Amino acid sequence: PALTFLGSAYLELAGRVGGRGPYYEKAGDALERAFALDPDLPWARSKLSSYLAKLGQAERSARLAAEGVGRQPGVVEFHERLGYVFRYAGHMRASIEAYRRGQALDRTSGARVRAQDQITKSFIYLGAYDDALDSHRAMLAILSEAGRTPDEKQHFYEGVIHLYAGDPERALASFDRGRTVDAESVWSTFGRGYSALATGDAVGARAVLEGLEAREVVDGERRYRLVHLSLAAGLVDRALDHLEQSVESGFFNAPYIASDPFTVRLRDRPRFAAILDRAAERHDAFPLDR
């Protein structure tokens, strides 16, 4: 348990500061040791699965989580881990189902909010923006029942839904609300970048992009956001670089990559097709009967 706690703390710190520093490596070392000591400790297995997903090893992450479900089906974190990697692998419906199974097991407000946030992302990637807004509103209702208010990440994703749905004014309002909660977090920084995207501010988008690049974003899904910011800054080749790195980092959501309205300008590039082919190959090979 102590090693799991240590690895989790390193993983949280790595998420805040990015790839700078040795924190991802330290997290992995501690979590691998914790799991080796006791594979039946649910938290050790769950946190190692989470770490592997963030570092691009979605297949092993899913295998650990699925084995956990088989051994201890009542542990909600294993279902959440499967939901997470299914989304990264581009299987959004399977992801939603996994998170809903987790919600059925844990009816506390925190667990319900956590799962609903993730379900919202899958609806975004499916292009089901009305469903995404309904899911987001369901999350807000759970927060309200618990006497809580949205954080900057939740405001950011609300803004993303509005932006995809063709409502930039509401998107900008959501990004602004996120900055009032925490003006310095990675999510409010993404919010500034997407505000620049919404307003056609190429200079502003480039400034945010370069700041995030300096943080060395590791997570594949977050890195995909740099594709959008690169395009908003008019940097097509850099967008392709980030797309390639995103897929290599474990975000091989081929159906979304192929249909994302924000990346239309990349579609006629041979390099885009090659990257999409690699994502599709991994997506197609990713088994759902885990």
Side-chain angles (χ1 to χ4, degrees), residues 17-290:
V17 304
R20 294 177 288 116
Y23 304 117
Y24 278 112
E25 182 178 351
K26 287 180 178 290
D29 288 345
L31 293 172
E32 290 280 12
R33 288 170 62 201
F35 179 71
L37 285 169
D38 188 356
D40 288 323
L41 181 65
W43 196 29
R45 180 183 289 271
S46 172
K47 285 296 183 181
L48 178 58
S49 176
S50 178
Y51 165 81
L52 292 169
K54 291 181 183 297
L55 271 290
Q57 300 181 50
E59 291 83 359
R60 186 183 170 206
S61 173
R63 185 169 65 251
L64 284 175
E67 288 172 354
V69 169
R71 294 183 184 204
Q72 299 162 303
V75 177
V76 64
E77 287 84 357
F78 296 148
H79 299 279
E80 291 177 342
R81 295 288 77 75
L82 283 174
Y84 188 88
V85 294
F86 284 159
R87 186 178 75 249
Y88 273 47
H91 298 286
M92 278 74 76
R93 295 294 180 186
S95 175
I96 291 169
E97 290 172 7
Y99 277 115
R100 285 179 172 161
R101 287 194 296 271
Q103 284 180 314
L105 287 168
D106 188 343
R107 299 300 297 167
T108 62
S109 61
R112 290 163 62 205
V113 164
R114 188 169 63 241
Q116 201 66 47
D117 275 339
Q118 303 298 334
I119 289 169
T120 298
K121 292 182 190 178
S122 282
F123 281 130
I124 294 172
Y125 295 159
L126 286 167
Y129 307 128
D130 288 341
D131 289 335
L133 278 173
D134 286 344
S135 177
H136 180 75
R137 292 184 187 114
M139 181 278 300
L140 292 177
I142 301 167
L143 280 180
S144 179
E145 290 171 9
R148 296 166 53 197
T149 55
D151 61 24
E152 72 278 10
K153 183 177 180 180
Q154 289 156 343
H155 285 303
F156 169 74
Y157 274 104
E158 180 182 35
V160 169
I161 300 168
H162 289 311
L163 202 55
Y164 270 121
D167 194 342
E169 290 187 5
R170 293 180 71 184
L172 290 169
S174 296
F175 298 141
D176 286 344
R177 285 193 293 272
R179 287 193 290 275
T180 65
V181 176
D182 184 338
E184 302 301 327
S185 82
V186 67
W187 296 106
S188 54
T189 303
F190 276 127
R192 287 197 298 275
Y194 277 67
S195 292
L197 185 159
T199 58
D201 178 7
V203 173
R206 182 164 187 160
V208 173
L209 170 67
E210 291 176 348
L212 288 166
E213 288 173 336
R215 289 175 64 111
E216 299 181 25
V217 174
V218 172
D219 178 273
E221 188 175 48
R222 293 188 191 186
R223 187 178 284 276
Y224 187 85
R225 309 226 162 273
L226 304 188
V227 178
H228 291 160
L229 297 184
S230 298
L231 288 171
L235 305 170
V236 173
D237 288 339
R238 195 179 298 188
L240 289 166
D241 289 341
H242 284 302
L243 177 60
E244 185 170 36
Q245 291 162 359
S246 174
V247 171
E248 290 175 356
S249 298
F251 188 70
F252 48 96
N253 190 331
Y256 169 59
I257 294 170
S259 61
D260 182 1
F262 291 168
T263 61
V264 171
R265 281 181 290 165
L266 298 179
R267 304 287 166 76
D268 61 350
R269 300 295 179 109
R271 189 177 168 197
F272 176 84
I275 296 168
L276 179 59
D277 284 347
R278 291 200 294 275
E281 181 178 357
R282 198 169 170 189
H283 162 81
D284 292 343
F286 195 87
L288 296 175
D289 57 344
R290 293 184 175 272

